[in-house]
Amino acid sequence: MSPPAPPAPPAAPNSQFRLTRYFSLVSLGLIAAVGLLLTLSMRAQMQRELIHMAERRNEAMTAVFINALGAQLSPLLAADLPADPDSLRTMIEAHGLHAQARALMRNADIIKIKLYNRAGLTVYSSSAAQIGENKRDNGGFQSALAGRTASALVHRDSFDAFEGQRAQVDLISSYMPIPPAPGQSAPQGVIELYQDVTPFVERLAALHRRLVLFGFGLMLGLYGLQLLLVQRAQGILRRQAQALEDANRVLDQRVQDRTEELRAALARLEHLAHHDPLTGLPNRLLCHEHLRYAIAKAQRQQRQLAVLFLDLDRFKEVNDMLGHSVGDDLLIEVSRRLGALVRSSDLLARLGGDEFVCVLESEDALLDAPVVADKLIQTLCRPMELQGHEVQVSASIGIALFPSDGTTGEELARAADTAMYEAKRAGRNRFHFYRPELTQAALARAHMERLLRRSLEGGEMSVHYQSKFLAQASDGVDEAGPCCGVEALARWHSSELGAVPPGRFIALAEESGFINELGAWVLRRACEDMMAWRAAGLVLDHASVNVSVRQLERGDFVELVRETLATTGLPPRALELEITESVIMNADNALATLNDLHALGVQLSIDDFGTGYSSLAYLKLLPIQTLKIDRSFVAGIAQAGAQAGDSAIIEAVIGLARSLGLNTVAEGVETPEQLAALQALDCAQVQGFLFSRPVSAEQLQSQLQGRSASAGSPSPARTASV
C-alpha cells in the first residue's frame, strides 16, 4: 500500500505581517480616541466647574440684589399685577429700578437681570424690550419655580447688556428662585442673571489646549518609546520567524525526502514482491494473479486463452561450463528477446531457474499460440555473445488452451508444464500442445518412477544375456560359428506392473537419473556372472554392458569401472562397454573418458552405428574396437523387394571397420537369409533372435554347457528354439 501524502503547506500570505505597522495604526488610533475622550471629558468637566462657580456667584449676587431692592420688587411680584408691558415699564420707571439695578451691578460680571412672577411673566428686565414676555414653559423657569437653581453656559454672537450691546460673549444664565415672603413656603418668583464669563472661558480654553497638547505630546513620546521597543521586538520576531521558516523549510524538505524514500522503498518492495530481481519480469506470484484475471476476462468475453510454458534446453550445461555469471547474463538476454516479441497486452513471466511463462489473450489462441511459440523458439536459436563466449541455446515450449485444457490457473499451468516435457521428450527445440492423455501419461510415469526406484531393493530387477556368435563357421558351412560373447540386458518384472518392456523403463531411468544406480548394478552383476561362468569352466571372450550418457558424464565413472573390476576379479579385456553413437557426440569430455577406459584395458564398442551423426574424422580418434550395425539396416536385407540401400550401407560400414582395424557385429538377425547375406558381406559377428533370445544367467550357463558337450556349434534352427 502506498504511504499517506504529507499535508500541503499553508498558503503564503499576500504580505508579510508587520508588527510596527499594526502597532502604529492601533496606537495612533487609540491615542486619537483617548485624546478626543480626554478633551471632551476635560471640556465638559471645566464647563461644569465654571457653571458651578458662576452659579454660586449668581446666587450671591441674587441675594445682594434681593436684599437691596426687595421693597421695590415686591409690588412687581404681586399676583394681580397687570400683564401689559407698557404698564410694567411705567411702573419700573416710576420706582427707578433700572438706575438702581445698574448702580448695584456696576463693576460686576452680571450684565443682565430678568425678574419673573410666579405666572412666568417677565415683570422686569435690564433690557426693556423683553418686559412682558412670558417664560412659563421655559425649563429653567420651571426648575427655579420648583426651588432648584438651573444654570447653563451659552455663547451669544450679540447680547444686550447693561452697558449696551456686546459681541461674542460667553454667558452663564442662572434661573434662581426668589425666597418666599414671610409666612409663605413657595418662592415669590424667579430671577434670571446673566454673568459674563468670557475671560474665564478663554482662559479655560487656553488651559485646555495646553493640557491637550501636553497630553498628546506625552502620549506621542510614550508612543515613540514603545515604537522603538516594538521595532526591536519586530526585528527579534523577524529573525526568529526567519529561523523558524528556515527550520520548517529544512524539516519540510527532510519530510519530503523521507516520504519520497519511503515511496521509493515501498515501490521497490512492491516490485520485488511481484517481479524477478534478475530479469525484471513478473514472478510466479504476479503470473498467477494475472492468469486468474485473464481467465475471468476470457470467461466474460467468451474468448480463448493460451498459456505457453517455456524451458531452456541444457541450460545447466551453460552454468556448469561457463559459470553462473554467464548463466545470469543468458537469462537476461533471453528475457530481452522474449519480451521484444510479446505484445504489451500479454504477460511474460519468469517462474524461476530457466522456466518462463507467456500468457496470450487472443480470440483464436489455437492459431496464434503456435505462431508465437515458433517465433520465441526461433529468436532463441540465434547465437548470443556473453562475456566473450558465443552461447547458443534452444527452448522447449508446452501450450495449454483455455478452456479446453483447464479452467483454472493451476490446471492450465500444470497442463502447459506437462506439454513442455512432452516437447523435450520429442527432441527439444520445439513446441507441443497439451492433450488430456499427457496428464495420465505423466501420472503413470511418476508412479512407474517410484516403483522403478524400489525395484533394486525389492529384487525385481534382473540381468538377462543375449549371446553373440561368430558369423562364419569354422568348417565353412552355411551356419553361424561358436558363441563369442554376451550382451547384458536389464529386465524388470514389477510385482505391481508385471514384466515392463526395457523401452519403457530404460528411458524413464535416463530421465529420472536412476540410470546411474541401475547401470552400476548391471555392471557389477555382469562381472560377477562372468566370473561365475569362468569358475564353472565356461570361458567367454567378453560380456558387453550398455552405458548411458548420464553415466559417461559422471566424473567418477572410470573409477566405478576400475573398482568393479577389482572387486569381482574380472580381467578388463573380458568387459566390453557399449556406447551409442549419439552419446559419444553429446557427452562432455567423452573422448577423455573413453581414453581413460581404454587405458584400463576395457574394450569399447559403438552401438547402433549409422543412426547418428558422428564425424568420421572424430571416429578415427576414438579408442574403440567394435562397431555394431543397427538392427534397422539388418532388417532390410535378404527380403523380397527390399532395396539395395541397406546392403550397401552394411557393406560400407564393414569396409570402414576393416580399414580402421575394427570388429563388426550385426544385431537383430532373425532369419537364415539375413545371416547368409551378412556372411556374404564378411560381417565378423552376429546377434539376434535367430540364435538366442535374452535369457537369465542360469539359462545361459545351461546353454553354454550343452553346446560345449555337443560336437560343433548348434545350427540356427536348434538355437532359435532356446
Side-chain angles (χ1 to χ4, degrees):
M1 91 182 258
S2 301
N14 296 331
S15 60
Q16 185 179 3
F17 177 79
R18 298 182 181 275
L19 180 61
T20 53
R21 176 184 299 175
Y22 287 97
F23 171 77
S24 299
L25 293 176
V26 173
S27 297
L28 292 176
L30 290 176
I31 289 174
V34 171
L36 179 61
L37 290 176
L38 288 177
T39 299
L40 296 177
S41 176
M42 289 175 61
R43 185 180 182 87
Q45 185 64 28
M46 292 173 68
Q47 286 181 355
R48 284 194 297 271
E49 292 298 325
L50 178 61
I51 292 172
H52 179 72
M53 179 186 67
E55 189 176 88
R56 299 288 79 77
R57 190 172 182 182
N58 286 344
E59 289 176 351
M61 293 303 296
T62 297
V64 172
F65 185 78
I66 295 299
N67 291 334
L69 302 177
Q72 291 85 352
L73 295 176
S74 295
L76 295 175
L77 298 175
D80 54 354
L81 186 70
D84 180 34
D86 294 334
S87 299
L88 291 175
R89 282 193 285 271
T90 301
M91 184 180 296
I92 292 171
E93 289 295 334
H95 288 85
L97 286 178
H98 280 303
Q100 294 181 33
R102 186 178 295 109
L104 187 61
M105 299 300 171
R106 185 178 295 118
N107 299 325
D109 294 330
I110 304 302
I111 60 174
K112 189 173 184 178
I113 299 176
K114 296 174 72 174
L115 189 66
Y116 308 98
N117 62 9
R118 291 181 58 84
L121 179 65
T122 306
V123 296
Y124 173 76
S125 174
S126 56
S127 175
Q130 295 179 341
I131 296 175
E133 293 178 352
N134 195 310
K135 292 293 184 77
R136 183 174 54 249
D137 297 329
N138 185 277
F141 169 78
Q142 294 177 355
S143 178
L145 189 62
R148 300 186 302 273
T149 300
S151 301
L153 175 64
V154 296
H155 176 81
R156 300 290 176 84
D157 295 333
S158 176
F159 190 78
D160 188 13
F162 282 118
E163 295 84 3
Q165 291 291 327
R166 290 191 179 187
Q168 303 299 325
V169 61
D170 292 307
L171 304 171
I172 297 294
S173 171
S174 298
Y175 288 88
M176 293 170 288
I178 299 175
Q184 296 181 359
S185 59
Q188 299 180 55
V190 175
I191 186 171
E192 180 182 7
L193 298 182
Y194 289 88
Q195 183 180 167
D196 184 6
V197 293
T198 301
F200 293 100
V201 171
E202 292 177 351
R203 288 195 298 271
L204 287 176
L207 177 61
H208 180 260
R209 285 194 296 274
R210 288 193 297 272
L211 290 175
V212 169
L213 292 175
F214 176 77
F216 271 104
L218 180 61
M219 285 188 287
L220 288 176
L222 294 175
Y223 163 76
L225 179 61
Q226 292 179 340
L227 181 60
L228 292 177
L229 295 176
V230 169
Q231 287 178 340
R232 180 172 178 80
Q234 175 71 23
I236 296 174
L237 291 177
R238 187 179 294 112
R239 289 191 295 272
Q240 292 178 344
Q242 185 63 40
L244 182 60
E245 184 178 352
D246 294 342
N248 286 337
R249 188 180 300 108
V250 172
L251 180 60
D252 290 342
Q253 185 63 40
R254 289 180 178 175
V255 171
Q256 184 177 0
D257 293 343
R258 297 300 179 270
T259 302
E260 292 299 328
E261 291 175 1
L262 178 59
R263 285 176 178 162
L266 291 177
R268 286 195 298 271
L269 289 176
E270 181 71 15
H271 187 272
L272 290 175
H274 295 88
H275 291 79
D276 174 44
L278 177 63
T279 63
L281 295 177
N283 60 9
R284 184 184 301 271
L285 177 61
L286 185 56
C287 177
H288 289 170
E289 292 178 358
H290 179 86
L291 186 55
R292 285 195 296 270
Y293 170 78
I295 290 174
K297 181 179 177 182
Q299 287 176 335
R300 291 194 305 269
Q301 299 179 356
Q302 299 295 317
R303 299 174 62 181
Q304 287 185 328
L305 180 73
V307 177
L308 280 65
F309 198 103
L310 183 148
D311 186 89
L312 299 179
D313 299 329
R314 299 188 177 92
F315 174 71
K316 181 178 180 299
E317 298 177 5
V318 177
N319 274 338
D320 293 343
M321 292 187 298
L322 302 179
H324 290 279
S325 177
V326 176
D328 290 344
D329 290 347
L330 173 63
L331 292 175
I332 294 173
E333 177 63 18
V334 167
S335 302
R336 187 191 66 79
R337 292 189 181 186
L338 297 181
L341 295 177
V342 176
R343 300 175 304 180
S344 59
S345 59
D346 299 327
L347 175 76
L348 176 65
R350 180 190 176 208
L351 301 187
D354 58 346
E355 296 178 345
F356 297 84
V357 167
C358 181
V359 180
L360 298 180
E361 300 182 35
S362 173
E363 294 183 0
D364 196 350
L366 181 60
L367 297 178
D368 294 341
V371 175
V372 174
D374 185 64
K375 289 181 179 180
L376 297 180
I377 291 174
Q378 294 303 321
T379 192
L380 294 181
C381 287
R382 300 197 311 270
M384 306 177 190
E385 190 69 26
L386 304 173
Q387 299 184 17
H389 301 281
E390 184 177 287
V391 180
Q392 189 168 5
V393 296
S394 61
S396 300
I397 300 178
I399 303 174
L401 299 176
F402 170 86
S404 59
D405 296 335
T407 57
T408 66
E410 292 76 10
E411 292 176 353
L412 289 175
R414 185 166 55 249
D417 184 59
T418 302
M420 183 272 296
Y421 279 106
E422 184 67 15
K424 283 187 177 292
R425 281 191 289 270
R428 297 186 175 92
N429 195 32
R430 65 191 64 203
F431 64 85
H432 202 286
F433 276 97
Y434 172 77
R435 297 192 306 273
E437 57 268 23
L438 292 179
T439 301
Q440 300 301 324
L443 294 175
R445 175 182 176 277
H447 180 61
M448 181 181 290
E449 181 180 342
R450 289 192 296 271
L451 296 177
L452 180 60
R453 291 188 178 276
R454 296 196 295 263
S455 61
L456 293 179
E457 299 177 359
E460 298 176 350
M461 197 68 67
S462 62
V463 177
H464 284 201
Y465 299 92
Q466 187 174 33
S467 301
K468 293 188 288 184
F469 298 88
L470 294 176
Q472 303 291 343
S474 58
D475 55 5
V477 298
D478 193 17
E479 293 182 352
C483 180
C484 59
V486 293
E487 180 181 359
L489 302 171
R491 291 294 183 264
W492 179 28
H493 191 281
S494 171
S495 59
E496 179 178 336
L497 303 177
V500 181
R504 291 182 61 189
F505 75 84
I506 293 297
L508 180 59
E510 290 264 6
E511 296 174 2
S512 63
F514 182 68
I515 193 65
N516 291 316
E517 185 178 352
L518 178 60
W521 180 83
V522 172
L523 176 63
R524 176 179 291 273
R525 185 65 179 269
C527 293
E528 291 174 347
D529 288 342
M530 281 288 289
M531 292 302 296
W533 294 330
R534 291 196 172 199
L538 300 175
V539 179
L540 291 174
D541 181 68
H542 65 272
S544 299
V545 178
N546 292 282
V547 178
S548 74
V549 63
R550 288 184 176 271
Q551 291 177 277
L552 202 62
E553 287 178 342
R554 289 188 55 167
D556 61 345
F557 180 70
V558 177
E559 186 63 28
L560 173 66
V561 175
R562 180 184 292 109
E563 291 180 359
T564 303
L565 293 174
T567 302
T568 59
L570 183 68
R573 287 289 302 174
L575 176 64
E576 181 181 66
L577 299 179
E578 292 190 7
I579 306 166
T580 61
E581 186 178 2
S582 59
V583 167
I584 296 176
M585 300 303 298
N586 293 331
D588 298 332
N589 301 321
L591 182 58
T593 303
L594 293 179
N595 285 327
D596 292 340
L597 292 172
H598 179 68
L600 289 179
V602 175
Q603 298 186 62
L604 299 173
S605 171
I606 295 182
D607 195 11
D608 302 333
F609 185 78
T611 60
Y613 50 89
S614 60
S615 168
L616 295 180
Y618 188 70
L619 180 65
K620 183 176 62 175
L621 301 176
L622 297 177
I624 59 176
Q625 290 77 43
T626 303
L627 294 179
K628 291 192 72 173
I629 302 172
D630 186 67
R631 66 178 63 248
S632 62
F633 301 123
V634 175
I637 63 175
Q639 290 183 0
Q643 298 180 358
D646 292 330
S647 296
I649 293 174
I650 295 175
E651 184 178 4
V653 172
I654 294 173
L656 175 64
R658 184 181 298 112
S659 64
L660 294 176
L662 304 178
N663 184 33
T664 55
V665 178
E667 61 181 353
V669 180
E670 298 182 357
T671 65
E673 292 77 14
Q674 292 173 344
L675 174 61
L678 291 170
Q679 288 174 336
L681 294 173
D682 200 18
C683 181
Q685 299 176 13
V686 290
Q687 174 184 353
F689 288 173
L690 178 63
F691 313 106
S692 174
R693 292 179 178 273
V695 294
S696 65
E698 294 77 10
Q699 290 175 314
L700 179 62
Q701 181 174 341
S702 299
Q703 290 180 5
L704 293 176
Q705 289 174 344
R707 288 169 183 158
S708 299
S710 64
S713 300
S715 67
R718 293 195 307 273
T719 57
S721 63
V722 176

